[in-house]
């Protein structure tokens, strides 16, 4: 079974509008972290935001916010006021809190976001 | 701001040749990772390294792969005999500590490996 599922291979949004990128996850660990990374066409992985499983409030970082619904196991990324520079691939990832592991990230398949002028 | 660096940025090699990909993690970080991303696909975990030994490895990380921390700063990934399917972007990452699930992994810019 997939641990991280991103069901939107591609999304389009008009400049200055908000967009939501979906992410659902599957884990039996009570302790985990959810991350979003941005990968522009140049290829580097840019950390955007994370949410801990025990965090009471949704994470926010500037124009990025994470809509965390623990019961539904979803961690959607919301980008407000989209800019042309937001066009990139976006990956959702999870790090499980297994005791003794080095806690590698498990990535979803990504969503290619295109911001239209 | 400290960052993870990787060299080379692009490596072209012939099938069957050995390659070594180099990474310099952030200096006070304790956990190191290699991931790979085949073109157009998702990022996949290869191996994690802590206290001078492998912590975990995926099924991709077979006997053709090895990792080493030869000195206090470098972290290397060696592929002994490259195959065409090893062509991918290889990312190194490091994190400060692994004792909780919330510690951010910092990624390097990647090395694009092309096997001909």
């Amino acid at each position: 079974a997939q641990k991280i599922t991103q069901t939107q291979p591609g999304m389009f949004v008009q400049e200055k509008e908000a967009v939501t990128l979906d992410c659902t996850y599957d884990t039996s660990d009570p302790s985990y972290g959810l991350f979003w990374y941005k990968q522009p066409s140049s290829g580097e992985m840019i950390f955007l935001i994370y949410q801990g499983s025990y965090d009471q409030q949704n994470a926010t970082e500037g124009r990025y916010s994470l809509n965390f619904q623990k019961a539904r196991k979803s961690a959607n990324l919301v980008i407000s006021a989209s800019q042309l520079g937001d066009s990139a691939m976006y990956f959702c990832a999870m790090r499980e809190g297994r005791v003794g592991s080095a806690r590698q990230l498990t990535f979803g398949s990504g969503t290619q976001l295109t911001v239209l002028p | 701001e400290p960052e993870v660096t990787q060299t080379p940025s692009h490596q072209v090699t012939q099938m069957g040749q050995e390659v070594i990909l180099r990474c310099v993690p952030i200096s006070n970080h304790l956990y190191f990772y290699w991931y790979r991303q085949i073109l157009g696909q998702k990022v996949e975990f290869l191996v994690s390294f802590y206290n001078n030994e492998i912590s975990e490895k995926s099924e991709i990380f077979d006997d053709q792969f090895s990792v080493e921390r030869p000195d206090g700063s470098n972290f290397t990934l060696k592929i002994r005999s490259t195959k065409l399917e090893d062509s991918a972007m290889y990312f190194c990452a490091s994190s400060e500590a692994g004792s909780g699930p919330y510690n951010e992994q910092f990624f390097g810019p990647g090395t694009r490996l092309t096997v001909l």
Side-chain angles (χ1 to χ4, degrees):
Chain A
Q2 295 288 325
K3 289 203 169 187
I4 297 286
T5 303
Q6 293 181 254
T7 57
Q8 307 153 314
M11 288 281 285
F12 292 87
V13 64
Q14 211 65 41
E15 196 178 6
K16 299 180 187 173
E17 291 186 352
V19 63
T20 298
L21 307 184
D22 295 341
C23 172
T24 58
Y25 60 92
D26 183 29
T27 181
S28 56
D29 283 307
S31 179
Y32 53 89
L34 297 156
F35 300 78
W36 278 91
Y37 284 84
K38 173 184 178 181
Q39 187 179 43
S41 56
S42 50
E44 72 268 31
M45 296 288 285
I46 302 167
F47 165 75
L48 295 177
I49 195 168
Y50 76 80
Q51 179 85 42
S53 59
Y54 294 119
D55 292 344
Q56 295 296 314
Q57 295 196 339
N58 287 344
T60 60
E61 285 287 345
R63 294 186 298 110
Y64 304 107
S65 60
L66 204 151
N67 183 1
F68 181 47
Q69 298 186 45
K70 195 170 181 177
R72 296 180 61 184
K73 293 190 173 178
S74 74
N76 299 339
L77 176 70
V78 180
I79 306 174
S80 63
S82 298
Q83 301 171 357
L84 295 177
D86 293 334
S87 293
M89 181 72 90
Y90 288 80
F91 289 100
C92 179
M94 177 173 64
R95 192 177 187 180
E96 293 172 286
R98 288 178 292 140
V99 173
S101 83
R103 299 177 177 86
Q104 70 271 19
L105 293 172
T106 301
F107 285 83
S109 54
T111 295
Q112 180 69 48
L113 177 68
T114 303
V115 180
L116 303 171
Chain B
E1 188 174 324
E3 58 183 16
V4 177
T5 60
Q6 290 185 244
T7 54
S9 56
H10 192 188
Q11 172 100 40
V12 181
T13 189
Q14 294 289 327
M15 190 170 58
Q17 295 296 305
E18 174 184 286
V19 294
I20 297 177
L21 310 183
R22 291 183 167 80
C23 168
V24 178
I26 295 173
S27 62
N28 64 333
H29 284 189
L30 301 177
Y31 282 81
F32 314 116
Y33 310 81
W34 283 101
Y35 295 84
R36 81 169 184 192
Q37 184 183 29
I38 294 171
L39 187 64
Q41 298 187 23
K42 65 179 174 182
V43 178
E44 300 173 292
F45 168 72
L46 291 178
V47 66
S48 57
F49 193 86
Y50 171 71
N51 201 24
N52 284 320
E53 61 182 23
I54 290 173
S55 295
E56 286 192 281
K57 57 184 181 179
S58 71
E59 58 193 24
I60 303 168
F61 194 86
D62 60 23
D63 292 344
Q64 293 298 312
F65 292 89
S66 63
V67 288
E68 196 177 36
R69 188 153 162 82
D71 52 45
S73 59
N74 289 285
F75 178 51
T76 62
L77 174 69
K78 182 193 290 186
I79 309 175
R80 264 180 268 283
S81 177
T82 50
K83 308 184 192 76
L84 294 176
E85 54 264 37
D86 293 328
S87 293
M89 179 77 95
Y90 288 81
F91 290 104
C92 174
S94 69
S95 69
E96 191 169 354
S99 58
Y102 313 136
N103 293 302
E104 177 192 344
Q105 289 182 20
F106 292 81
F107 280 75
T111 291
R112 181 164 297 285
L113 176 66
T114 302
V115 182
L116 302 175

